[in-house]
């Protein structure tokens, strides 16, 4: 009897323990990023419906529940309390009746405008593109649809009367919805990909949509426009704001394949007006691998807007040498705007919570490159944060994930005034002719020092230059033994170098 009770006690204790701790196995393959989200298995592309609600960040994402290439698109789902430790939940929205669940957004319906919320409590409403593939001579159809959840995103019901917006088009997708304080209604930005346009719609209840205006073509118009998102951001940290309209384009990105541009302007609740001539092209990221980034809805007032992107490029997305998953997200980035002589520009920085993952710190100040490299010899990590400042006018580079003849270089070419990342010698590159690349961004520092924040995470390198003025995101597939970091500088003058390097703990480990 006693023994039985003991066993029962042990079983229930183990059950409770298992509920509290997450199952973290399956997230430790050689290329598996440790502080970037990727699904345990199968394919992912764009982040979808990212929203903060009742203490949790929700990350939905384009997901194939059946394999590691694109198909059966559904919304996968993960939650986090700090944007770094993610827990994967069951698939939120599944392909059904031959209709795939394409990219979209999720809003918090605080006042039950939709009528979907129970017991006068706020609920979550997802607005997504339903994609019916072409078949039997019938063209593909893309429409906008709703689904809602009354249990903090754990289970979802598709709206009976879907679709809510149907222009009977094959390409009409990726709704980004938010609450407009100015107009006291919901606003949707949605892409007409082949026309290089973003259409704006307004609604009081998320069900009936009325066209407000359209924007485009403008800026870069290669390929298709996809994944628009509109966000209001403070300028220079003041009360003054400007709106940023970000648009993905594929192909036609700056570095080939998928890329993203942004426009800065005003939005009065109905119409976006570009501050710049429509020929101005501004790029959110100068690497090859940041696409369909989206801002979190529902971020508490006073906190920075946060954006997360798909770290990939359609040129080779289905060939990445990872298994049993394919696809991952960028680090979540806080957004702001800053005024420069050339105009107002987007600023992106890794979220400050990243500092909580910092472990061992190497701090170095000096001018002697050989002495610095001696110190770096002791550092053999594959997930780390490197913050460095180098005196102006100096050409320099960091060789990362290095071993005999293998390295990825990130640095600054003073003669060309260029930030660069070169992954032509980074390891496995042969799976696509579009993969080996040197990505560049204009950075005329004059005599000002050049400061870089580099986040490296097994198969990813994100560089943020000059406090986030430029971002450059690239995938790499180095051998597991490629762990060395080396610095070089060209020129005879000894120049001041400041280095702070931390290895970062895994986000797959339980939250501390
Ligand atoms: C962008 C995209 C979106 C679409 C989704 C389909 O990567 O093509 O426009 O909604 O992927 O998976």
């Amino acid at each position: 009897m006693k023994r039985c009770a003991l066993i029962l006690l042990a079983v229930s204790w183990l059950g409770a323990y298992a509920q509290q701790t997450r199952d973290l196995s399956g997230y430790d393959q050689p290329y598996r990023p440790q502080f970037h989200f990727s699904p345990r298995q199968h394919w992912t592309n764009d982040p979808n419906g990212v929203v903060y609600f009742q203490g949790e960040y929700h990350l939905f994402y384009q997901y194939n529940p059946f394999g590691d290439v694109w198909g059966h698109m559904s919304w996968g789902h993960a939650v986090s309390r700090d944007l770094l430790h993610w827990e994967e939940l069951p698939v939120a929205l599944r392909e059904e009746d031959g209709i795939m669940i394409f990219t979209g957004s999720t809003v918090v319906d605080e006042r039950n405008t939709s009528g979907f919320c129970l017991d006068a409590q706020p609920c979550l409403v997802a607005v997504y593109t339903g994609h019916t593939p072409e078949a039997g001579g019938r063209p593909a159809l893309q429409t906008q649809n709703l689904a809602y959840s009354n249990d903090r995103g754990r289970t979802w019901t598709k709206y009976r009367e879907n679709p809510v917006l149907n222009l009977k088009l094959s390409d009409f997708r990726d709704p980004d919805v938010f609450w407009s304080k100015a107009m006291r209604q919901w606003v949707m930005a949605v892409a007409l990909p082949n026309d290089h346009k973003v259409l704006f719609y307004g609604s009081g209840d998320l069900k009936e949509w009325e066209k407000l205006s359209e924007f485009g073509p403008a800026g870069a118009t290669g390929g298709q426009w996809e994944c628009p998102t509109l966000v209001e951001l403070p300028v220079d940290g003041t009360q003054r704001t400007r709106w940023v309209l970000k648009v993905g384009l594929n192909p036609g990105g700056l570095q080939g394949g998928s890329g993203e541009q942004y426009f800065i302007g005003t939005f009065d609740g109905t119409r976006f007006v570009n501050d710049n001539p429509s020929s101005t092209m501004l790029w959110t990221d100068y690497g090859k691998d940041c696409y369909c980034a989206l801002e979190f809805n529902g971020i508490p007032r006073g906190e920075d807007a946060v954006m997360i992107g798909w770290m990939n490029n359609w040129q080779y997305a289905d060939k990445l040498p990872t298994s049993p998953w394919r696809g991952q997200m960028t680090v979540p980035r806080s957004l702001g705007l800053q005024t420069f002589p050339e105009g107002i520009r987007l600023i992106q920085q890794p979220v400050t919570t990243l500092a909580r993952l910092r472990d061992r710190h190497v701090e170095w100040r000096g001018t002697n490159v050989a002495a610095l490299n001696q110190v770096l010899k002791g550092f053999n990590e594959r997930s780390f944060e490197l913050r460095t400042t180098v005196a102006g006018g100096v050409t320099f580079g960091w060789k990362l994930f290095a071993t005999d003849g293998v390295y990825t270089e990130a640095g600054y070419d003073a003669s060309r005034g260029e930030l660069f990342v070169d992954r032509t010698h980074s390891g496995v590159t042969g799976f696509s002719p579009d993969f080996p690349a040197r990505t560049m961004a204009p950075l005329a520092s004059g005599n000002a020092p050049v400061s870089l924040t580099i986040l490296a995470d097994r198969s990813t390198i994100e560089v943020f230059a000059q406090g986030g003025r430029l971002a450059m995101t690239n995938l790499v597939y180095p051998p597991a033994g490629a762990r060395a970091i080396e610095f070089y500088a060209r020129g005879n003058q000894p120049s001041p170098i400041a280095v702070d390097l931390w290895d970062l703990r895994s986000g797959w480990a339980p939250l501390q």
Side-chain angles (χ1 to χ4, degrees), residues 338-450:
Q338 200 176 320
T339 310
F340 294 91
E342 62 272 26
I344 299 174
R345 296 292 182 266
L346 186 65
I347 299 294
Q348 297 172 67
Q349 313 242 36
V351 287
T352 52
T353 47
L354 187 69
R356 293 192 205 149
L357 296 181
R358 285 177 184 165
D359 201 353
R360 193 161 57 105
H361 182 195
V362 175
E363 185 182 351
W364 193 88
R365 304 285 182 271
T367 55
N368 184 331
V369 172
L372 168 60
N373 282 327
Q374 201 53 39
V375 169
L376 292 173
K377 277 209 168 110
F379 194 86
N380 286 301
E381 303 296 335
R382 287 189 297 156
S383 297
F384 57 86
E385 173 183 352
L386 171 60
R387 287 184 180 253
T388 96
T389 304
V390 177
V394 179
T395 290
F396 66 87
W398 290 91
K399 288 192 170 175
L400 307 168
F401 292 139
T403 188
D404 314 315
V406 170
Y407 55 85
T408 301
E409 221 174 306
Y412 179 65
D413 183 330
S415 60
R416 297 195 197 178
E418 227 168 56
L419 172 75
F420 68 90
V421 170
D422 189 331
R423 66 177 178 194
T424 51
H425 299 93
S426 56
V428 177
T429 60
F431 52 87
S432 159
D434 294 312
F435 191 79
R438 186 180 195 272
T439 60
M440 288 94 71
L443 199 177
S445 88
N447 286 327
V450 172

Side-chain angles (χ1 to χ4, degrees), residues 208-270:
E208 301 270 327
W209 292 93
E210 186 197 335
K211 187 165 170 197
L212 301 173
S213 64
E214 50 184 68
F215 175 79
T221 52
Q224 290 195 317
W225 276 20
E226 304 182 309
C227 305
T229 164
L230 182 64
V231 63
E232 185 178 17
L233 297 174
V235 179
D236 301 324
T238 65
Q239 300 283 327
R240 197 161 67 90
T241 64
R242 228 58 191 159
W243 290 77
V244 169
L245 175 62
K246 186 234 67 177
V247 183
L249 63 163
N250 177 61
L254 180 69
Q255 309 285 3
S258 325
E260 298 213 274
Q261 63 176 331
Y262 67 98
F263 303 94
I264 297 189
T266 53
F267 184 71
D268 61 3
T270 56

Side-chain angles (χ1 to χ4, degrees), residues 27 38 52 61 251 270 299 394 401 426 448:
Y27 293 101
S38 56
Y52 179 78
Y61 43 91
T270 56
I299 293 278
V394 179
F401 292 139
S426 56

Side-chain angles (χ1 to χ4, degrees), residues 28-96:
D28 195 23
Q29 298 80 5
Y31 296 141
R32 174 79 75 175
Q34 295 297 292
F35 60 93
H36 292 82
F37 177 78
S38 56
R40 181 192 301 259
Q41 58 175 354
H42 300 326
W43 164 275
T44 185
N45 54 289
D46 318 349
N48 295 154
V50 292
V51 64
Y52 179 78
F53 183 54
Q54 298 183 342
E56 290 177 321
Y57 294 91
H58 292 261
L59 169 63
F60 302 93
Y61 43 91
Q62 286 289 279
Y63 187 59
N64 178 356
F66 305 108
D68 64 1
V69 290
W70 189 90
H72 301 289
M73 296 323 295
S74 302
W75 277 22
H77 189 193
V79 287
S80 171
R81 278 182 283 130
D82 63 357
L83 290 165
L84 301 166
H85 295 77
W86 292 101
E87 180 181 2
E88 224 173 309
L89 297 178
V91 171
L93 291 171
R94 282 184 181 272
E95 172 193 42
E96 206 176 342

